[in-house]
Amino acid sequence: MTDRVDANDYGAAGVRLLRVLRQEGRHDVKEMRLEILFEGDFEAALRKGDNRKILPPDTIKNTVYALARQYPVEAIEEFSLHLIDHFLTYNPQVTLVRIATEETIWSRIPHGGKPHAFSFVRAGVEKRTAILHATREETAIRAGIDGLAVLRTAKSGFESFLRDPYTTQKEDRDAVLSTTIRADWLYENGVSEFGPLWHGVRQLLLESFAEHESRSLQHALHAMGEAVLGSFDHIREIQLALPHRLYQLVDLAPFGMDNPAEVFLPVEEPYGVVRATLRREPPQEA
Amino acid sequence: MTDRVDANDYGAAGVRLLRVLRQEGRHDVKEMRLEILFEGDFEAALRKGDNRKILPPDTIKNTVYALARQYPVEAIEEFSLHLIDHFLTYNPQVTLVRIATEETIWSRIPHGGKPHAFSFVRAGVEKRTAILHATREETAIRAGIDGLAVLRTAKSGFESFLRDPYTTQKEDRDAVLSTTIRADWLYENGVSEFGPLWHGVRQLLLESFAEHESRSLQHALHAMGEAVLGSFDHIREIQLALPHRLYQLVDLAPFGMDNPAEVFLPVEEPYGVVRATLRREPPQEA
Amino acid sequence: MTDRVDANDYGAAGVRLLRVLRQEGRHDVKEMRLEILFEGDFEAALRKGDNRKILPPDTIKNTVYALARQYPVEAIEEFSLHLIDHFLTYNPQVTLVRIATEETIWSRIPHGGKPHAFSFVRAGVEKRTAILHATREETAIRAGIDGLAVLRTAKSGFESFLRDPYTTQKEDRDAVLSTTIRADWLYENGVSEFGPLWHGVRQLLLESFAEHESRSLQHALHAMGEAVLGSFDHIREIQLALPHRLYQLVDLAPFGMDNPAEVFLPVEEPYGVVRATLRREPPQEA
Amino acid sequence: MTDRVDANDYGAAGVRLLRVLRQEGRHDVKEMRLEILFEGDFEAALRKGDNRKILPPDTIKNTVYALARQYPVEAIEEFSLHLIDHFLTYNPQVTLVRIATEETIWSRIPHGGKPHAFSFVRAGVEKRTAILHATREETAIRAGIDGLAVLRTAKSGFESFLRDPYTTQKEDRDAVLSTTIRADWLYENGVSEFGPLWHGVRQLLLESFAEHESRSLQHALHAMGEAVLGSFDHIREIQLALPHRLYQLVDLAPFGMDNPAEVFLPVEEPYGVVRATLRREPPQEA
């Protein structure tokens, strides 16, 4: 044996599911896509093709459907917990289960001023996400949001930055600031109100983006994270990744026109990136 | 010369633009992506590389920005009309201009119960579209919607269809019906209330999808088109293309479970397709 | 009845298939994705939800698999002809069948200097395509190619074009010319050597792009089409759509550097577009 | 201060570049897309909007173009090393630079039996990648490949796996095995022949996939990694991530047909996943 195996896992990805809850006068739907990965004792499979400890990815997928039938699927975090419980109970060869879920959000079609009982429309481009890691000792629950595109046209700037011979960036005020928020946050043990919490964090991220007088995307990121940690005691840390979607002021001078921050070219690439994790400082160290 | 040239056009595509309207206490934004194509007398360019009648695509793009500065951009149909007027006026070599625009929809972030003055969030996955064809004699204005994903969980069926030896499809009731609506409609001359009309048609398409007891996607398509022609006098015809997004009932029998239309597998491909154009029948022939 | 139905068709799209031909010492594979659309007498289905003339899209899909089993699948044009024959024979309610196929190209892994007998690698980003329209009277066969990305760094220019006040484009020599070729061509009746013809046209398009001293993308397009019509008697017309993928010379002057056509920024959008169809001129009219 | 900042970095992503090397009688091109991230002392920027230690992402992008002008760009690993050297030399506030590059591969158009001097075609769907991490103390160079799609139709199986009540997977022989290889490997210090090494590893991965009689995708992964470590002394470890692209045998029994592994449905989702890192075992511990 001349090699050591590390960072080995396997599983099923792209497992898609629509769960319909049919109650009198009202249906609910939840559409999700899961990735389920196992760590464990799989070295014989890798080295010798000995599959006796390999539960097929196809079985992992079937388990998702069978458990979806048994549970009404209220929140993706809860459904993930059911799956984890099942896999760790019946698979001693597995030491860690990781489940990442993204939910496609359907909202009721408004009809005659009221939300419709069983007809839905896709609302928003963002996904609700959940990432759970679990061993037999502990379970970490991270909830999140991905693809939440936002844009503001005032009270953002980028000034007094470092300059070198390749710097041509101009000092900027009242330009467009736009990003596509990806965030996930770690819950304290014992949290259970996953739905209201998620909606609360989403709204706070939006309001914080809307109102903060940011001097950079870094500055905006920190304000968003701090707002969440400051308002939700049950969130231990929050991780944010913000691409800086560039809206470039079009130079209209060649046509004899000014451009008082009115006409912009949206640029897909290149884009800036800022990432950071904010952790609640333990009280004793404060 | 051994060949005849036909169906020749050229132009600029993927022209992206964000227009900000800055008023005291309130900003408005409109983000769009245009494709502008010219037909005309370009045979010398093709055959001999004689570019004297070719206005560069780069100039077409510049024109979009220059005109965006001059007009406040209230509706993509109006902006297209300004562009058409410009191109046909200054380019005698051009006989037809075709402008297709798709608008990315931004809505205001709700903040303290009110829509924010200058901060926005992407709302909905659909695009608002407009397609205009214009010669010096006439202009056709088509408005549309693309990517409006909808889903219902009751009152839809597919029964009594044609069968042949390769048919395994089951008669179906109360299953999931889902599609991603693409529609465009042709306005009568003289229409100008493009914004309210678009929102009205969108809402009617949604309500018609929500309520119609459809026996097939064909049946649903016709109901949607008929509702629009019946409610909007200024719409001469409507074209609908509906992919049938399959939500396949998962067979849980191998696990000793029933599945009363509760657990479905969303299938990307294959999918069904239905397309049709509904034209208002002239009264004299009715 | 207040509306007239027009442009109505339906069918199955995204029908994916891998066909393996297992011969002693050598396997062949063909992967394809089909869209099959029917026109016919479907008005009762649209208006009343009467499905008696609607063969389900699911059956159309099943037919693809059943016929794939019966035929060794040598070329996508031939396989489409088998499908058309089947559908028109058994479906009197159908007046026209349209089949569009795209083939994902797998080539053999080179191994010990020889092509491997049963192991393959995806080669090239382009797709081979075929579009067939057939009624009971006639069948039109179009073969094509999509997504063939090419680039040249010499002997291309764009000069002496039309200018207006919004023109800032510079006269250009020896810049980068790049496009992603989409072409399809119509065969004369009776053609059968679909594989060699396709490879011949592909090679000719590449060589024509490589060698032609083009004064514009229009000029290049015409040269490519003319080369194909000039070399292949059995091709009646060819349709070309060429996006002009922009490689923009980076301005390094702010950093005290020149840029002799060496450093370019690839731009996804905007891009130019040229489209044209070249038809063989009937001899009597020449 | 109630939060601690962690995992903070920022930079520029989607930086695209085409570099042309113009030599007499022969041009060379290299197209790449870079992501450059800095770690360092940025806490004041996050907390207070103090940008004095923030080199703008726009400057990072400009630096790529300026350095591309200065270096002929022979391999993406070398170009990354030049960038790292520049950033660490002139930016004391930066403690770590991470550069991830993907190269789009252009190959010469064959023309008259010879490779063309200045005309190119996109070859293959895969990207060549490089990921470098550097502090002032050490630099880690990882080369890689992404999106290398392969498929085999014989000598692969999946048998004797673990079963539970949700297992319906059949024992499988001579089915289709397909994956899209993503691999990256870590070089020993002092390596410089990046081009030949990359081509060597690519060929070995292909051959290993082609020939190995694999009992699972795990088994195939290990064989591929072991082959690379066994053949290239200068590679310290290799990381492989293999999605199991499912080609599902179509059940033709309802139509009275068998299907001897000839007709398959390619399934995008769900798919299996296997990941592992193989590290060279230090000799003293062997």
Side-chain angles (χ1 to χ4, degrees):
Chain A
M1 190 194 307
T2 60
D3 63 270
R4 207 177 72 225
V5 170
D6 219 334
N8 170 230
D9 59 12
Y10 86 97
V15 180
R16 301 187 57 178
L17 168 69
L18 178 81
R19 181 66 170 87
V20 182
L21 186 62
R22 295 174 183 273
Q23 293 173 299
E24 183 61 32
R26 174 195 161 108
H27 294 178
D28 291 279
V29 296
K30 215 161 202 35
E31 180 166 348
M32 63 189 89
R33 188 169 167 277
L34 297 95
E35 181 182 69
I36 300 174
L37 293 170
F38 290 173
E39 289 184 23
D41 174 15
F42 310 131
E43 194 137 342
L46 285 155
R47 293 194 187 277
K48 302 179 210 160
D50 174 346
N51 296 321
R52 284 175 298 171
K53 290 187 173 169
I54 302 294
L55 190 73
D58 185 72
T59 301
I60 297 173
K61 177 206 70 178
N62 287 345
T63 308
V64 169
Y65 296 123
L67 267 68
R69 175 71 185 90
Q70 294 165 49
Y71 298 103
V73 187
E74 269 148 72
I76 53 178
E77 293 87 350
E78 289 170 299
F79 186 55
S80 300
L81 287 170
H82 291 307
L83 286 165
I84 283 170
D85 185 46
H86 174 93
F87 289 124
L88 289 179
T89 302
Y90 295 105
N91 291 277
Q93 81 284 5
V94 172
T95 53
L96 184 144
V97 178
R98 183 183 177 280
I99 303 186
T101 306
E102 56 177 42
E103 181 183 348
T104 294
I105 300 165
W106 292 98
S107 62
R108 293 176 190 279
I109 290 177
H111 188 264
K114 288 187 301 186
H116 199 274
F118 57 75
S119 296
F120 304 86
V121 60
R122 279 283 303 281
V125 286
E126 77 266 21
K127 305 275 183 185
R128 176 173 169 181
T129 62
I131 302 174
L132 282 82
H133 289 78
T135 62
R136 283 182 185 76
E137 286 70 45
E138 57 181 344
T139 300
I141 304 178
R142 305 185 74 92
I145 196 163
D146 196 8
L148 182 64
V150 291
L151 178 153
R152 50 186 281 179
T153 54
K155 294 191 182 161
S156 54
F158 184 44
E159 298 175 317
S160 308
F161 41 76
L162 192 59
R163 296 183 159 279
D164 76 7
Y166 297 141
T167 302
T168 55
Q169 169 94 40
K170 289 179 191 144
E171 306 270 323
D172 208 9
R173 277 222 157 275
D174 284 329
V176 169
L177 179 70
S178 180
T179 187
T180 303
I181 299 169
R182 193 177 78 212
D184 52 73
W185 50 91
L186 176 66
Y187 286 123
E188 297 285 351
N189 294 334
V191 163
S192 63
E193 292 297 301
F194 298 109
L197 277 167
W198 186 84
H199 286 283
V201 174
R202 180 187 185 277
Q203 179 60 20
L204 196 55
L205 290 171
L206 287 178
E207 294 193 2
S208 172
F209 174 82
E211 276 298 297
H212 181 252
E213 298 204 17
S214 62
R215 295 179 189 156
S216 69
L217 196 57
Q218 270 93 344
H219 199 206
L221 180 152
H222 189 266
M224 292 162 82
E226 206 173 33
V228 171
L229 290 186
S231 299
F232 294 93
D233 289 347
H234 298 309
I235 295 179
R236 198 184 299 179
E237 68 171 56
I238 180 166
Q239 180 174 333
L240 287 148
L242 303 184
H244 191 167
R245 313 246 49 125
L246 182 61
Y247 285 81
Q248 186 177 301
L249 195 68
V250 178
D251 179 11
L252 300 174
F255 320 131
M257 295 173 182
D258 65 346
N259 186 358
E262 295 197 344
V263 179
F264 293 88
L265 165 64
V267 176
E268 283 295 312
E269 296 196 328
Y271 56 93
V273 178
V274 185
R275 305 187 296 188
T277 299
L278 274 65
R279 292 208 167 83
R280 192 179 297 286
E281 204 63 77
Q284 62 277 25
E285 301 180 23
Chain B
M1 191 194 308
T2 59
D3 63 272
R4 208 177 71 226
V5 171
D6 220 337
N8 171 229
D9 59 12
Y10 87 97
V15 180
R16 301 187 57 179
L17 169 69
L18 178 82
R19 180 68 169 87
V20 182
L21 187 62
R22 295 174 182 273
Q23 293 173 299
E24 184 60 33
R26 173 195 162 108
H27 294 178
D28 290 278
V29 296
K30 215 163 203 33
E31 181 167 346
M32 63 188 90
R33 188 169 166 275
L34 297 96
E35 182 182 69
I36 300 175
L37 293 170
F38 291 172
E39 289 184 22
D41 174 14
F42 309 130
E43 195 136 341
L46 286 156
R47 292 194 187 279
K48 301 179 211 161
D50 175 347
N51 296 322
R52 285 175 296 172
K53 291 188 174 170
I54 301 294
L55 190 73
D58 184 71
T59 301
I60 297 174
K61 177 207 70 179
N62 287 344
T63 308
V64 169
Y65 296 123
L67 268 69
R69 176 69 186 90
Q70 293 164 50
Y71 297 103
V73 185
E74 269 148 70
I76 52 177
E77 294 86 349
E78 289 170 298
F79 185 55
S80 299
L81 287 169
H82 291 308
L83 286 165
I84 283 169
D85 185 45
H86 174 92
F87 288 125
L88 289 179
T89 301
Y90 295 106
N91 291 279
Q93 81 284 6
V94 172
T95 54
L96 184 144
V97 178
R98 183 183 177 281
I99 302 185
T101 307
E102 56 178 43
E103 181 183 347
T104 294
I105 300 166
W106 292 98
S107 63
R108 293 176 190 280
I109 291 176
H111 187 262
K114 287 187 301 189
H116 199 275
F118 57 76
S119 296
F120 304 86
V121 59
R122 278 283 303 280
V125 286
E126 77 266 21
K127 304 274 184 187
R128 177 172 169 182
T129 61
I131 303 174
L132 282 81
H133 289 77
T135 62
R136 285 185 182 75
E137 286 71 45
E138 57 181 346
T139 300
I141 304 177
R142 306 185 74 92
I145 195 163
D146 196 10
L148 182 63
V150 291
L151 179 153
R152 50 187 280 180
T153 54
K155 293 192 182 159
S156 55
F158 184 45
E159 299 176 315
S160 307
F161 41 77
L162 192 59
R163 297 182 158 280
D164 77 7
Y166 298 140
T167 302
T168 54
Q169 169 93 42
K170 288 177 190 147
E171 306 270 323
D172 208 10
R173 277 219 156 276
D174 283 329
V176 169
L177 180 69
S178 179
T179 186
T180 302
I181 299 171
R182 193 177 78 212
D184 53 73
W185 49 91
L186 177 66
Y187 286 122
E188 297 286 350
N189 294 334
V191 163
S192 64
E193 293 297 302
F194 298 111
L197 277 166
W198 187 84
H199 286 285
V201 174
R202 180 187 184 278
Q203 179 60 20
L204 197 55
L205 290 170
L206 286 178
E207 293 193 1
S208 173
F209 175 82
E211 275 298 297
H212 181 253
E213 299 206 15
S214 62
R215 293 178 189 158
S216 70
L217 195 57
Q218 271 93 341
H219 199 207
L221 180 151
H222 189 266
M224 292 162 83
E226 206 172 33
V228 171
L229 291 186
S231 299
F232 294 93
D233 289 348
H234 299 308
I235 294 179
R236 198 185 299 178
E237 68 172 56
I238 180 166
Q239 181 174 333
L240 286 147
L242 303 183
H244 190 165
R245 312 245 52 125
L246 182 61
Y247 285 82
Q248 186 178 301
L249 195 68
V250 177
D251 179 12
L252 300 174
F255 321 129
M257 295 173 182
D258 66 347
N259 186 358
E262 294 197 345
V263 180
F264 293 87
L265 165 63
V267 177
E268 284 295 311
E269 296 197 330
Y271 56 94
V273 178
V274 185
R275 304 187 297 189
T277 300
L278 274 65
R279 293 208 167 82
R280 191 178 297 285
E281 202 64 78
Q284 64 275 25
E285 299 181 22
Chain C
M1 192 194 307
T2 59
D3 63 271
R4 208 175 72 226
V5 170
D6 220 335
N8 170 230
D9 59 12
Y10 87 95
V15 180
R16 301 187 56 178
L17 168 70
L18 178 83
R19 181 68 170 86
V20 181
L21 187 62
R22 295 173 183 274
Q23 292 174 300
E24 184 61 31
R26 173 194 161 109
H27 295 178
D28 291 277
V29 296
K30 215 161 202 31
E31 181 167 346
M32 64 189 89
R33 188 169 166 276
L34 297 95
E35 181 182 69
I36 300 174
L37 293 170
F38 291 173
E39 289 184 22
D41 174 15
F42 309 131
E43 194 137 342
L46 285 156
R47 293 194 186 278
K48 301 180 212 161
D50 175 346
N51 296 322
R52 285 174 297 172
K53 291 187 173 171
I54 301 295
L55 190 72
D58 185 72
T59 301
I60 297 174
K61 178 206 70 178
N62 287 344
T63 307
V64 169
Y65 296 123
L67 267 69
R69 175 71 185 88
Q70 294 165 50
Y71 298 102
V73 187
E74 269 148 73
I76 53 178
E77 294 87 349
E78 290 170 299
F79 185 54
S80 300
L81 287 169
H82 291 309
L83 286 165
I84 283 170
D85 185 46
H86 174 92
F87 288 124
L88 289 179
T89 302
Y90 295 106
N91 292 279
Q93 81 284 6
V94 172
T95 53
L96 184 145
V97 178
R98 182 182 178 282
I99 303 186
T101 306
E102 55 177 43
E103 181 183 348
T104 294
I105 301 165
W106 292 97
S107 64
R108 293 176 189 279
I109 291 177
H111 188 263
K114 287 188 301 187
H116 199 273
F118 56 76
S119 296
F120 304 86
V121 60
R122 280 280 304 279
V125 286
E126 76 267 21
K127 305 275 183 185
R128 176 173 169 181
T129 62
I131 302 174
L132 283 82
H133 289 78
T135 62
R136 284 184 182 75
E137 286 71 45
E138 58 181 346
T139 300
I141 304 178
R142 305 185 74 92
I145 196 163
D146 196 8
L148 183 63
V150 291
L151 179 152
R152 50 187 280 180
T153 54
K155 293 192 182 161
S156 54
F158 184 44
E159 299 176 315
S160 308
F161 42 76
L162 193 58
R163 297 182 159 279
D164 76 7
Y166 298 141
T167 302
T168 55
Q169 169 95 41
K170 289 180 190 143
E171 305 271 322
D172 208 11
R173 277 221 158 273
D174 283 330
V176 169
L177 180 69
S178 180
T179 186
T180 302
I181 299 170
R182 193 176 76 213
D184 53 72
W185 50 91
L186 176 66
Y187 285 122
E188 297 285 352
N189 294 334
V191 163
S192 63
E193 293 297 300
F194 298 110
L197 277 167
W198 186 84
H199 287 283
V201 174
R202 179 186 185 278
Q203 179 59 20
L204 197 54
L205 290 171
L206 286 178
E207 293 193 2
S208 172
F209 174 82
E211 276 297 297
H212 181 252
E213 299 205 16
S214 61
R215 294 179 189 157
S216 69
L217 196 56
Q218 271 93 343
H219 200 205
L221 180 152
H222 189 266
M224 292 162 82
E226 205 173 33
V228 171
L229 290 186
S231 299
F232 294 93
D233 290 347
H234 298 309
I235 294 179
R236 199 184 299 179
E237 68 171 56
I238 180 166
Q239 180 175 332
L240 287 147
L242 303 183
H244 190 167
R245 313 244 51 125
L246 182 60
Y247 285 81
Q248 186 177 300
L249 195 68
V250 177
D251 179 12
L252 300 174
F255 320 131
M257 295 172 182
D258 65 346
N259 186 358
E262 296 198 343
V263 179
F264 294 87
L265 165 64
V267 177
E268 283 295 311
E269 297 197 326
Y271 56 93
V273 178
V274 185
R275 304 187 296 189
T277 300
L278 272 66
R279 291 207 168 82
R280 192 179 297 286
E281 203 64 77
Q284 64 275 26
E285 299 180 23
Chain D
M1 191 193 308
T2 60
D3 63 271
R4 207 176 72 225
V5 171
D6 219 335
N8 170 229
D9 60 13
Y10 87 96
V15 180
R16 301 187 56 179
L17 168 70
L18 179 81
R19 181 68 170 86
V20 182
L21 186 62
R22 295 173 183 274
Q23 294 173 297
E24 184 60 32
R26 174 195 161 108
H27 294 178
D28 291 278
V29 297
K30 216 163 202 34
E31 180 167 346
M32 62 188 90
R33 188 170 166 275
L34 297 95
E35 181 182 69
I36 300 174
L37 293 170
F38 290 173
E39 289 184 22
D41 174 14
F42 310 130
E43 195 137 340
L46 286 156
R47 293 194 186 277
K48 302 180 209 159
D50 175 346
N51 296 322
R52 285 174 296 171
K53 291 188 174 170
I54 302 294
L55 190 73
D58 184 71
T59 301
I60 297 174
K61 177 207 71 179
N62 287 345
T63 307
V64 169
Y65 296 123
L67 267 67
R69 176 70 185 90
Q70 294 164 51
Y71 297 104
V73 185
E74 269 148 71
I76 53 177
E77 293 86 350
E78 289 169 299
F79 185 55
S80 300
L81 287 169
H82 291 308
L83 286 165
I84 282 169
D85 185 45
H86 174 93
F87 289 125
L88 289 179
T89 302
Y90 295 106
N91 292 278
Q93 81 285 7
V94 172
T95 54
L96 184 144
V97 178
R98 182 184 178 281
I99 303 186
T101 306
E102 56 178 42
E103 181 184 347
T104 295
I105 301 165
W106 291 98
S107 63
R108 293 176 190 279
I109 291 177
H111 187 263
K114 287 187 301 188
H116 199 274
F118 57 76
S119 296
F120 305 86
V121 59
R122 278 282 305 280
V125 286
E126 76 266 21
K127 305 275 184 187
R128 176 172 169 183
T129 61
I131 302 175
L132 283 81
H133 289 77
T135 62
R136 284 183 183 77
E137 287 70 45
E138 58 181 344
T139 300
I141 304 178
R142 304 186 74 93
I145 196 163
D146 195 10
L148 182 64
V150 291
L151 179 153
R152 50 188 280 180
T153 54
K155 293 192 181 159
S156 53
F158 184 45
E159 298 176 317
S160 307
F161 41 77
L162 192 59
R163 297 183 158 279
D164 76 8
Y166 297 141
T167 302
T168 54
Q169 170 93 41
K170 287 176 191 149
E171 307 270 323
D172 208 10
R173 276 220 157 276
D174 283 328
V176 169
L177 179 69
S178 179
T179 187
T180 302
I181 299 170
R182 193 177 78 212
D184 53 73
W185 50 91
L186 176 66
Y187 286 122
E188 297 285 351
N189 294 334
V191 162
S192 64
E193 292 296 301
F194 298 110
L197 277 166
W198 187 85
H199 287 284
V201 174
R202 179 186 185 277
Q203 179 60 21
L204 196 56
L205 290 170
L206 287 178
E207 293 192 3
S208 173
F209 175 82
E211 276 298 296
H212 181 253
E213 299 205 16
S214 61
R215 294 180 188 155
S216 69
L217 196 57
Q218 270 93 342
H219 199 208
L221 180 151
H222 189 266
M224 293 161 83
E226 205 172 34
V228 171
L229 291 185
S231 299
F232 294 93
D233 289 346
H234 299 308
I235 295 179
R236 197 184 300 178
E237 67 172 56
I238 179 166
Q239 181 175 333
L240 286 147
L242 303 183
H244 191 167
R245 311 245 53 124
L246 182 61
Y247 285 82
Q248 186 177 302
L249 196 68
V250 178
D251 179 12
L252 300 174
F255 320 129
M257 295 173 182
D258 66 347
N259 186 359
E262 293 196 346
V263 180
F264 294 87
L265 166 63
V267 176
E268 283 295 312
E269 296 196 330
Y271 55 95
V273 178
V274 185
R275 305 187 295 190
T277 299
L278 273 65
R279 292 207 168 82
R280 192 179 298 284
E281 202 64 77
Q284 64 275 26
E285 300 181 21

